[in-house]
Amino acid sequence: MFTGALPWRRAFAAGALFIIATLTARAQAVDPLPSWNDTASKARVMAFVQAVTESGGKDFVAPTDRIAVFDNDGTLWSEQPMYFQLAFALDRVKAMAPKHSEWKTKQPFKAAIEGDMKTLAAAGEHGLLELVAASHAGLSTDEFAAVVKDWLATARHPKFKRPYAELTFAPMVELLAYLRANGFQTWIVSGGGIEFMRVFAEQAYGVPPQQMVGSSLELKYELRGGKPVLVQQPKVAFIDDKAGKPVGIHKAIGKRPIAAFGNSDGDFQMLEWATSAPGARLGLIVHHDDAEREYAYDRKSPFGKLDRGLDEAGPRGWTVVSMKNHWKQVYAPAR
Amino acid sequence: MFTGALPWRRAFAAGALFIIATLTARAQAVDPLPSWNDTASKARVMAFVQAVTESGGKDFVAPTDRIAVFDNDGTLWSEQPMYFQLAFALDRVKAMAPKHSEWKTKQPFKAAIEGDMKTLAAAGEHGLLELVAASHAGLSTDEFAAVVKDWLATARHPKFKRPYAELTFAPMVELLAYLRANGFQTWIVSGGGIEFMRVFAEQAYGVPPQQMVGSSLELKYELRGGKPVLVQQPKVAFIDDKAGKPVGIHKAIGKRPIAAFGNSDGDFQMLEWATSAPGARLGLIVHHDDAEREYAYDRKSPFGKLDRGLDEAGPRGWTVVSMKNHWKQVYAPAR
């Protein structure tokens, strides 16, 4: 009996060793960026992370200073055929139209109601802001969040027929998690509205509301039925785009990021700000060149135009990611 | 020999038990707020923290929602005989005066240079903002931080003859650490300038630059010698006071705090915003009633006026802390 137990013990010990060996091998083999093909851009990202996290290394950065900033539209999720927030604003203007008969003849509202995209495009940034302000204002921040949540649950993207919040880029969601696993604080710095993004960004990207910089309307503190609320006003408070991005970053974070991720010339100054200081820095541009799986556009696109960034990425040492060639998948499969 | 070893072993075991018992007793007896006298206000704070952190309790709040906001001037450090940032601005106006001969006849600059506090007080908020803007603008954020750092190292408070950064309230610094040890994220929400506070707040309070909300001037992104900088403009971007505080909180945090700490009517709406939602909430007002160890002032003070807050604290369930009676010490001893 006693000696008979030995083979069992040996088998157990061997099994335990096997399990330990397997787990160790798996830990070493785990790819933190499985949606990225093994190209130079993936290697560049991983080399940067290794450099700033290597204790005692010449490029080591303390965790408290590992700030990474991400544009949203076109960088973390799609932005075609129009910014998703604009699609939301148009849907909302249509829904509000019965109570605004004056919009039947007033541009850009008339074009919005009629779906006249040509006139809308011609209205430019000012016209679009007018739509956003009119469709967002008057609601308290809580009411607005509820309206956005409802829209995200019901609206479908015209090309992919999926909820907009599913059209986040799987490789970038992996990248956010990979950076956080390496002690980074990840921030979203977007031209999009901060109130709009906060509704879905924590679930979609793992970025909490307090790590978000965006455009905003003025807010007014008032009492409704004795309870305080914050009401969005029809007046733009801040546009977080182009040279506004470093300003927004500094106001919110007060530290200079060491890594910045964008896709359009609206992100140029953000990348410049993050990468033009001493030490290891990472600037990365997502290039939309995948007409089949997503969209192909750059220098002449009305949304997400990328022109100067394409020309200067090389000399500035920024990594340009080809969505078509560098990404195994664009979106995670439908849930 | 063998038996002789036993008493030694017994002594060792008894010693080990004694050490363990002592450490346990000490852990139970450690007071997280040693600068607070054992009064109702200390009990109220500790009961609140216990309620929101008790797993399974009816008032439990998840760590991600444990947001606490603190005013700075008069709540975390002194604000008499004038806001410390105003003392800085006055010193700076004096230092800049030789290059601004026009200030010799122009108010409020003339009063600032001459130390005419009566005229300065009469200039009101607008006049003070003019001084701040003129003395802060034109500097890049890095240059400004260096100037503030230098001032903090050299300037001395007129009454206490100590560096201003030493005049933080020891009981409040303990409170900040106590809340963080219980999973809270602590934020500063001050009418003071965010660029000014960031220079000392991390060291003084353990609050990092990205957990700060304050008043600010417009910033302009520009290239100086080919390098990007952010330059303060002589134009106020945001005043983080009164009804501006809930607005600033929402823009930066996007969550409603569950605890708010202030000392003046400038904090009224912040406390109202934090405490008028369901669940356990804590509102606390520091009352300056200690003329000997600090200053005594409230309803009629030009800086840090506390009038409505004193009247409404009772009905609203806010805790009023008497600095004189509830605090063992005001400042930590000189280093």
Side-chain angles (χ1 to χ4, degrees):
Chain A
M1 282 287 281
F2 282 106
T3 50
L6 275 174
W8 180 86
R9 283 194 199 160
R10 273 197 205 120
F12 178 81
L17 277 176
F18 175 78
I19 290 166
I20 289 164
T22 307
L23 288 175
T24 308
R26 190 176 293 171
Q28 284 165 349
V30 161
D31 179 353
L33 302 173
S35 297
W36 292 67
N37 289 318
D38 287 324
T39 63
S41 61
K42 178 176 181 172
R44 172 81 184 84
V45 168
M46 295 185 72
F48 166 77
V49 170
Q50 169 128 26
V52 300
T53 56
E54 192 185 338
S55 188
K58 74 173 175 53
D59 289 320
F60 179 78
V61 175
T64 49
D65 292 326
R66 290 182 204 155
I67 306 285
V69 288
F70 289 79
D71 169 57
N72 182 42
D73 296 311
T75 299
L76 295 180
W77 73 354
S78 291
E79 62 185 350
Q80 302 293 351
M82 69 176 94
Y83 299 130
F84 294 177
Q85 189 176 358
L86 181 56
F88 163 76
L90 293 186
D91 282 352
R92 189 154 162 78
V93 164
K94 283 179 207 159
M96 292 166 75
K99 288 189 177 172
H100 292 267
S101 56
E102 74 280 11
W103 287 353
K104 280 182 197 159
T105 52
K106 190 182 173 190
Q107 292 296 11
F109 299 96
K110 184 171 180 286
I113 294 164
E114 294 169 353
D116 173 3
M117 293 309 294
K118 202 174 155 189
T119 304
L120 270 183
E125 190 182 31
H126 178 77
L128 300 183
L129 281 175
E130 211 177 332
L131 283 176
V132 167
S135 61
H136 290 37
L139 296 176
S140 76
T141 49
D142 287 345
E143 289 166 348
F144 180 74
V147 170
V148 173
K149 200 174 170 185
D150 180 58
W151 182 81
L152 286 170
T154 54
R156 294 294 178 271
H157 186 274
K159 178 172 173 177
F160 301 106
K161 316 293 181 200
R162 294 175 65 175
Y164 286 93
E166 287 189 14
L167 301 179
T168 56
F169 301 140
M172 298 304 285
V173 173
E174 289 168 6
L175 184 51
L176 283 159
Y178 170 56
L179 290 172
R180 286 193 295 265
N182 281 281
F184 279 78
Q185 200 172 65
T186 52
W187 286 71
I188 292 175
V189 179
S190 169
I194 191 165
E195 301 294 330
F196 183 80
M197 293 189 292
R198 278 175 171 157
V199 177
F200 64 92
E202 185 153 22
Q203 198 182 341
Y205 308 128
V207 176
Q210 63 267 49
Q211 283 166 221
M212 231 159 276
V213 182
S215 297
S216 57
L217 299 175
E218 299 273 0
L219 294 177
K220 192 179 168 202
Y221 184 76
E222 58 182 56
L223 298 180
R224 284 186 179 176
K227 295 283 178 196
V229 290
L230 293 165
V231 180
Q232 296 196 104
Q233 306 296 303
K235 192 183 166 205
V236 172
F238 184 66
I239 297 184
D240 189 50
D241 198 30
K242 303 188 177 73
K245 287 206 175 192
V247 171
I249 287 168
H250 183 78
K251 287 198 171 179
I253 311 177
K255 291 183 175 189
R256 196 144 159 182
I258 62 168
F261 304 83
N263 78 295
S264 79
D265 284 353
D267 306 314
F268 191 93
Q269 288 85 351
M270 176 170 83
L271 267 75
E272 180 177 64
W273 178 238
T275 61
S276 57
R281 304 273 162 166
L282 179 66
L284 185 147
I285 292 174
V286 173
H287 187 201
H288 292 261
D289 58 358
D290 193 334
E292 198 179 320
R293 295 188 301 179
E294 204 237 5
Y295 294 91
Y297 60 96
D298 47 36
R299 295 184 192 273
K300 289 179 179 172
S301 175
F303 301 110
K305 176 176 156 182
L306 176 67
D307 190 28
R308 188 181 172 196
L310 269 187
D311 293 335
E312 298 198 22
R316 288 175 182 264
W318 298 342
T319 300
V320 177
V321 171
S322 159
M323 290 176 69
K324 187 176 177 179
N325 300 315
H326 297 185
W327 286 359
K328 277 202 187 75
Q329 61 174 350
V330 173
Y331 307 122
R335 290 161 216 164
Chain B
M1 281 290 278
F2 282 106
T3 50
L6 274 176
W8 181 86
R9 283 193 197 160
R10 272 196 206 122
F12 178 80
L17 276 176
F18 176 77
I19 290 167
I20 289 165
T22 307
L23 287 176
T24 308
R26 190 176 295 171
Q28 285 166 346
V30 160
D31 180 353
L33 302 173
S35 296
W36 292 67
N37 289 318
D38 288 324
T39 62
S41 61
K42 179 176 182 172
R44 172 81 183 85
V45 168
M46 296 185 72
F48 166 76
V49 170
Q50 168 130 25
V52 300
T53 57
E54 192 186 337
S55 188
K58 74 172 175 54
D59 289 321
F60 179 77
V61 175
T64 50
D65 292 326
R66 289 183 205 153
I67 306 287
V69 289
F70 289 80
D71 170 57
N72 183 42
D73 296 310
T75 300
L76 295 180
W77 74 353
S78 291
E79 61 184 351
Q80 304 291 351
M82 68 176 95
Y83 298 132
F84 293 178
Q85 189 176 358
L86 180 57
F88 163 76
L90 292 186
D91 282 353
R92 192 155 158 77
V93 163
K94 283 179 207 160
M96 292 166 76
K99 290 189 177 173
H100 293 267
S101 56
E102 75 277 15
W103 288 351
K104 280 181 197 161
T105 53
K106 190 183 173 190
Q107 292 295 12
F109 299 95
K110 183 171 182 286
I113 294 164
E114 293 169 354
D116 173 2
M117 293 309 293
K118 202 174 156 188
T119 305
L120 269 183
E125 191 183 29
H126 179 79
L128 299 183
L129 281 174
E130 212 178 333
L131 283 177
V132 166
S135 62
H136 290 36
L139 297 175
S140 76
T141 49
D142 286 345
E143 289 167 346
F144 180 74
V147 171
V148 173
K149 199 174 170 186
D150 180 58
W151 181 80
L152 286 170
T154 53
R156 294 293 179 271
H157 186 275
K159 177 172 173 178
F160 300 107
K161 316 294 180 198
R162 294 174 66 174
Y164 286 94
E166 288 188 14
L167 301 179
T168 56
F169 302 139
M172 297 305 285
V173 173
E174 289 168 6
L175 184 50
L176 283 159
Y178 171 56
L179 289 173
R180 287 193 294 266
N182 281 282
F184 279 77
Q185 202 174 62
T186 52
W187 286 71
I188 292 174
V189 178
S190 170
I194 190 165
E195 302 294 331
F196 184 82
M197 292 189 294
R198 278 176 172 156
V199 176
F200 65 90
E202 186 154 21
Q203 199 183 341
Y205 308 127
V207 177
Q210 63 267 49
Q211 284 167 220
M212 230 160 275
V213 181
S215 298
S216 58
L217 298 176
E218 299 273 1
L219 294 177
K220 192 180 167 202
Y221 184 76
E222 58 182 57
L223 298 179
R224 284 187 179 174
K227 295 283 177 195
V229 290
L230 292 165
V231 181
Q232 297 197 106
Q233 307 295 303
K235 191 185 166 204
V236 172
F238 184 66
I239 298 184
D240 189 50
D241 197 29
K242 302 188 176 76
K245 289 206 173 191
V247 171
I249 287 169
H250 183 78
K251 288 200 171 176
I253 311 176
K255 292 182 177 190
R256 195 143 159 184
I258 62 168
F261 305 82
N263 78 295
S264 80
D265 284 352
D267 305 314
F268 190 92
Q269 288 84 353
M270 175 169 85
L271 268 75
E272 180 178 63
W273 178 238
T275 60
S276 57
R281 306 272 161 165
L282 180 66
L284 186 147
I285 292 174
V286 173
H287 187 202
H288 293 261
D289 58 358
D290 192 334
E292 197 179 322
R293 295 187 300 179
E294 203 237 7
Y295 294 91
Y297 60 97
D298 46 37
R299 297 184 190 272
K300 290 178 179 175
S301 176
F303 302 110
K305 176 178 154 181
L306 176 66
D307 191 28
R308 189 181 172 196
L310 269 188
D311 293 334
E312 298 199 20
R316 287 175 181 264
W318 299 342
T319 300
V320 177
V321 171
S322 158
M323 292 176 68
K324 187 175 177 180
N325 300 315
H326 297 185
W327 286 358
K328 277 203 188 74
Q329 61 175 351
V330 172
Y331 307 123
R335 291 160 215 165

